[in-house]
Amino acid sequence: MGYRVVVAGATGNVGREMLNILAERQFPADEVAALASRKSLGTEVSYGDKTLKTKDLDTFDFDGWDIALFAIGSDATKIYAPKAAKAGCVVIDNSSLYRYDHDVPLIVPEVNADAIAGYAKRNIIANPNCSTAQMVVALKPLHDRARIKRVVVSTYQSVSGAGKGGIDELWDQTKSIYNPTDDRAPKQFTKQIAFNVIPHIDKFLDDGQTKEEWKMVAETKKIVDPSIKVTATCVRVPVFVGHSEAINIEFEEFLDEDEARDILREAPGVMVVDKREDGGYVTPIECVGDFATFISRIRQDSTIDNGLNLWCVSDNLRKGAALNAVQIAELLGNRILKKG
Ligand SMILES: NC(=O)c1ccc[n+]([C@@H]2O[C@H](COP(=O)([O-])OP(=O)(O)OC[C@H]3O[C@@H](n4cnc5c(N)ncnc54)[C@H](OP(=O)(O)O)[C@@H]3O)[C@@H](O)[C@H]2O)c1
């Protein structure tokens, strides 16, 4: 006997990947319901070799459903997640709405799987921000060996992180550059994204950092260790899928670059590709459709006593969202909602 699983936001970037990954990983689902807004009623989405017709989330009855993977943004989540949770369906949410709630575990299974025990307080589990998810997978095994004091990270985030609209805007703007009569003013982003980079993701906070940058700080503390200091600069780049990060880490103890490479090679969810030669590193285009977080360019930072630099790339729609959510569902199935 398997699970009855809901995917809310099934017509979106993340929801479509959730359906792909549920099928790829052969998640033991007896039934899968694809939900979106009323305007998408009847829209066909793929689930393995099946096609599902999208239902209206607003009228959906969650009674009898085991797990709901949500990827619909915070506003809609605020309305529908409590409804699902109250009906006894465990919500695994991709929005930022519940991430900082003390009664909701924020989980990256390779890092803090045991936190899942706290799910029952609200019947909700949160998935982190895409940039945080891939970073903490790399940080955790290094922290366990040499205790991280401080992280300085710069991100290079793809437009798919801003939803379907982000992908369309990069595509249309790129075409319009070659056809000047076709004016494509920025809508989704604050400035032109085609052939440009924008040092601004999410809203500005009072201290000058952006909410996206703040999320990386707060979420790393909640998932890995509250003592780790993080400072981030988050940048949108004209890449369709795949977030990259240049990460500088200061440790309490010395950690040699070769040992760090060995540790990361053994770490769950990590693939090291680090040859000091032309092309001996991973770029975002190569990580699309993959499960792993790729680490390259591991090297000592000789400007401080115990420093390392590395380059971290992952498919933001997968490890940054859909894969992590399905991994949480697997964890929930293995440890808590056992069936069969
Ligand atoms: N993209 C990423 O890298 C990433 C990473 C981590 C977390 N997330 C989070 O995941 C969520 C979804 O992101 P996305 O990139 O998939 O966005 P998206 O491509 O814009 O898709 C949004 C989905 O939500 C549905 N939706 C929106 N409002 C709804 C409502 N009121 N009722 C029912 N369905 C509604 C849409 O349905 P319709 O098509 O019917 O409008 C669509 O299926 C967001 O919370 C985002 O912050 C995204």
Side-chain angles (χ1 to χ4, degrees):
M1 195 177 143
Y3 300 91
R4 298 183 78 215
V5 180
V6 171
V7 173
T11 52
N13 286 341
V14 174
R16 285 178 192 272
E17 280 298 346
M18 284 170 165
L19 290 166
N20 289 338
I21 293 170
L22 286 168
E24 281 169 32
R25 291 172 76 95
Q26 298 180 333
F27 186 84
D30 277 354
E31 197 178 348
V32 174
L35 311 182
S37 74
R38 189 160 302 153
K39 78 171 160 51
S40 300
L41 187 68
T43 300
E44 293 190 342
V45 290
S46 299
Y47 166 55
D49 53 12
K50 298 192 184 84
T51 300
L52 305 179
K53 282 207 162 103
T54 307
K55 296 177 180 159
D56 179 9
L57 169 60
D58 195 46
T59 54
F60 188 77
D61 181 359
F62 285 92
D63 268 344
W65 292 83
D66 300 298
I67 299 172
L69 306 177
F70 268 54
I72 56 173
S74 293
D75 291 347
T77 300
K78 196 182 262 177
I79 303 168
Y80 300 108
K83 205 174 143 189
K86 197 167 168 218
C89 178
V90 183
V91 174
I92 300 172
D93 179 37
N94 272 273
S95 80
S96 58
L97 186 66
Y98 295 106
R99 288 181 194 155
Y100 320 107
D101 184 324
H102 290 300
D103 291 338
V104 174
L106 175 65
I107 295 183
V108 174
E110 294 89 340
V111 178
N112 65 337
D114 291 346
I116 200 157
Y119 87 100
K121 286 187 190 150
R122 301 192 67 161
N123 238 13
I124 298 173
I125 300 167
N127 211 57
N129 177 264
C130 37
S131 299
T132 310
Q134 67 184 69
M135 182 171 80
V136 297
V137 168
L139 294 185
K140 170 71 170 150
L142 301 177
H143 183 59
D144 287 346
R145 160 63 184 81
R147 310 294 302 168
I148 295 173
K149 282 165 68 174
R150 178 170 185 255
V151 173
V152 182
V153 56
S154 299
T155 69
Y156 306 74
Q157 297 181 219
S158 66
V159 294
S160 57
K164 296 182 279 195
I167 292 187
D168 292 346
E169 187 151 316
L170 174 59
W171 178 247
D172 292 340
Q173 247 175 29
T174 304
K175 286 189 296 179
S176 77
I177 302 282
Y178 298 102
N179 180 10
T181 55
D182 181 13
D183 178 30
R184 299 286 175 156
K187 275 196 272 196
Q188 193 79 25
F189 303 113
T190 52
K191 300 207 178 204
Q192 176 184 315
I193 186 63
F195 304 100
N196 201 10
V197 298
I198 305 172
H200 173 193
I201 301 177
D202 211 331
K203 64 184 181 192
F204 278 97
L205 304 180
D206 289 344
D207 63 0
Q209 68 180 329
T210 63
K211 184 88 185 284
E212 186 82 354
E213 291 157 356
W214 176 87
K215 286 175 193 169
M216 292 191 78
V217 177
E219 294 175 19
T220 302
K221 286 177 182 291
K222 183 164 175 181
I223 298 166
V224 188
D225 188 333
S227 72
I228 298 178
K229 292 179 184 165
V230 179
T231 180
T233 301
C234 293
V235 180
R236 188 72 71 191
V237 298
V239 166
F240 283 110
V241 178
H243 286 2
S244 308
E245 299 173 339
I247 307 176
N248 176 267
I249 311 166
E250 183 178 1
F251 297 93
E252 280 176 20
E253 292 167 37
F254 179 76
L255 178 58
D256 177 73
E257 60 190 22
D258 291 330
E259 189 184 347
R261 202 172 290 111
D262 288 344
I263 290 169
L264 288 168
R265 274 205 184 98
E266 297 299 317
V270 173
M271 282 276 291
V272 174
V273 178
D274 191 18
K275 295 184 196 146
R276 292 177 176 180
E277 61 187 37
D278 292 354
Y281 40 80
V282 173
T283 59
I285 218 160
E286 295 153 290
C287 76
V288 176
D290 222 303
F291 287 153
T293 293
F294 293 90
I295 307 294
S296 309
R297 305 286 326 277
I298 302 164
R299 62 206 191 276
Q300 228 75 51
D301 171 8
S302 57
T303 65
I304 49 174
D305 285 341
N306 302 321
L308 275 183
N309 286 305
L310 52 86
W311 175 248
C312 171
V313 181
S314 198
D315 181 330
N316 53 294
L317 299 178
R318 291 198 155 219
K319 187 58 201 167
L323 170 62
N324 199 70
V326 173
Q327 286 177 296
I328 294 172
E330 290 168 350
L331 192 63
L332 196 65
N334 291 336
R335 294 203 186 174
I336 294 159
L337 307 180
K338 292 189 180 135
K339 290 222 174 184

